Amino acid sequence: MQPSKRVKFGRSDLEVTPFAFGTAPIGNFARPIDEATSDGMIQTAWDAGVRYYDTAPMYGHGLSELRCGHSLRWKERDDFVLSTKVGRLLKPKKRSEIDFSPWSNAAANELVFDYSYDGTMRSFEDSLQRLSLERIDICFIHDIDVFTRGAEQPEVFRMAMDGAWKALSRLRDEGVVKAIGIGVNEWEVCYEALQQRDFDCFLLAGRYTLLEQESLDKFLPLCVERNAAVVIGGGFNSGILATGAIEGARYNYAAAPAEILDRVRKIELVCHEYNVPLPAAAMQFVTAHPAIPSFIAGTRTVEQLQKNLDWFSHEIPAAFWAELKKQGLLREDAPTPA
């Protein structure tokens, strides 16, 4: 697979690259990244032909959008696709009074959930100003899932369908954005949203990977039927599909349980047999599905980014995928790269 190939983004008239640059790390997730490294990664991605960049107000309390806009500001605007999110407003506040967790040395803004119509319009306008770019192409309603909102999720979902949906639908109708969707951690939430509203796309974190294919049951087939695009973030399941089954490996933001470690070890044996890096298999598997145009990868260094680009381009024989299915390590109905 080529990171710079242009592919159609669902039913919209947008074209994205299958390798997308994720900007959560440059919001200083967990630990700081300096300005030079942040800009260096975006320029390296650009030079490699990457033309889809995803950000959000949440990432670094606005820092990610500021950095993303800075690095893309003088690029020809029609040459790339940019997505951001709504659902949180940023309000300036003293650093000493802000809980930045899990961000480190983030921007001096407090995050406030707001899925109302007016809050969504405000969030969208604020993002445009932080980015200082002439437009946003794709906008996702962010974190209306159980993972983020817990017991409040049903009410938060309803509010978003009534408020944020109406605002984004109007922006789409007016041509201000080209595509609107949901960005969450659970495919079930995406499935419910697509049944209820006319969404163009989804950003799904970690729920369609080498280790998880339950979304093949209902959600992804509906996306194919409706020509809705699905972008996958967290395709390494928060770590283990990049590191392998090492001591301390992470799976879905926690220590990997024994059964996951065992499954990954079995996948790694097949990788070794066919000389396929595990991360290469993880990345290329995702974008083989007809509903999935892009894999969002976030990195902390230029070297790490270059590794991801190399893995994405690594040639994988068809026999590798066949062997995974033969051993029951991959669903028989899962599409694989041609």
Side-chain angles (χ1 to χ4, degrees):
M1 292 188 177
Q2 293 303 313
S4 58
K5 179 184 177 182
R6 298 296 183 99
V7 292
K8 197 169 185 304
F9 191 78
R11 63 188 186 183
S12 76
D13 62 0
L14 295 169
E15 287 190 340
V16 297
T17 47
F19 186 103
F21 185 87
T23 65
I26 66 171
N28 288 349
F29 181 74
R31 61 184 186 271
I33 291 175
D34 61 43
E35 300 288 348
T37 300
S38 172
D39 184 62
M41 287 192 292
I42 293 179
Q43 302 311 328
T44 298
W46 184 272
D47 291 343
V50 175
R51 294 295 184 268
Y52 177 24
Y53 299 83
D54 174 72
T55 186
M58 175 196 176
Y59 302 160
H61 295 227
L63 180 62
S64 170
E65 286 186 326
L66 289 165
R67 286 176 159 178
C68 190
H70 170 78
S71 294
L72 294 174
R73 189 155 304 137
W74 305 115
K75 310 296 186 189
E76 177 60 46
R77 186 59 191 88
D78 290 341
D79 286 350
F80 66 93
V81 171
L82 177 72
S83 60
T84 192
K85 306 173 186 74
V86 294
R88 291 175 175 87
L89 292 177
L90 305 187
K91 299 186 177 182
K93 196 171 183 179
K94 289 183 179 180
R95 287 186 172 276
S96 60
E97 298 175 1
I98 301 173
D99 178 8
F100 286 113
S101 178
W103 312 96
S104 175
N105 197 26
N109 297 304
E110 179 183 30
L111 298 175
V112 179
F113 283 113
D114 192 332
Y115 296 100
S116 68
Y117 178 95
D118 289 344
T120 298
M121 289 297 197
R122 169 72 183 274
S123 176
F124 186 84
E125 183 67 26
D126 287 352
S127 287
L128 276 174
Q129 292 185 19
R130 279 189 295 273
L131 289 159
S132 290
L133 297 172
E134 60 194 73
R135 71 173 185 272
I136 293 164
D137 301 296
I138 303 164
C139 195
F140 298 103
I141 303 172
H142 202 190
D143 286 346
I144 54 171
D145 49 24
V146 177
F147 178 84
T148 307
R149 304 312 303 271
E152 298 178 333
Q153 191 272 337
E155 178 61 17
V156 169
F157 183 87
R158 185 195 64 76
M159 290 171 58
M161 294 303 100
D162 290 343
W165 152 259
K166 290 179 181 177
L168 292 186
S169 180
R170 177 180 174 180
L171 292 174
R172 181 181 61 183
D173 290 345
E174 293 176 350
V176 178
V177 294
K178 297 291 186 66
I180 61 175
I182 303 287
V184 292
N185 294 274
E186 296 141 10
W187 68 263
E188 295 89 344
V189 176
C190 297
Y191 181 66
E192 182 63 27
L194 187 55
Q195 289 183 303
Q196 291 192 22
R197 300 289 188 270
D198 185 30
F199 285 108
D200 305 297
C201 53
F202 300 89
L203 198 169
L204 183 59
R207 302 286 78 80
Y208 185 68
T209 70
L210 279 179
L211 295 174
E212 299 186 36
Q213 292 117 48
E214 292 85 355
S215 52
L216 284 170
D217 294 338
K218 296 188 294 184
F219 172 57
L220 288 173
L222 182 60
C223 289
V224 171
E225 178 185 327
R226 300 272 291 272
N227 199 14
V230 182
V231 181
I232 297 295
F236 295 134
N237 280 123
S238 81
I240 194 168
L241 290 177
T243 65
I246 61 172
E247 184 177 353
R250 306 287 287 177
Y251 170 73
N252 291 348
Y253 311 106
E259 63 270 19
I260 293 296
L261 289 168
D262 181 62
R263 187 175 184 86
V264 172
R265 289 189 189 104
K266 291 176 180 177
I267 295 173
E268 286 184 284
L269 288 175
V270 180
C271 286
H272 180 73
E273 180 181 353
Y274 287 90
N275 193 30
V276 174
L278 176 63
M283 299 176 88
Q284 294 187 37
F285 166 71
V286 166
T287 51
H289 194 283
I292 301 174
S294 287
F295 177 105
I296 294 179
T299 54
R300 294 188 172 279
T301 66
V302 170
E303 293 75 21
Q304 191 179 64
L305 171 62
Q306 190 58 59
K307 274 188 178 181
N308 279 355
L309 290 165
D310 292 343
W311 286 329
F312 202 85
S313 305
H314 186 91
E315 188 171 345
I316 300 178
F320 168 78
W321 306 109
E323 185 61 26
L324 287 180
K325 291 185 176 184
K326 180 181 177 182
Q327 294 191 27
L329 298 170
L330 196 61
R331 277 179 52 155
E332 283 291 338
D333 59 341
T336 54

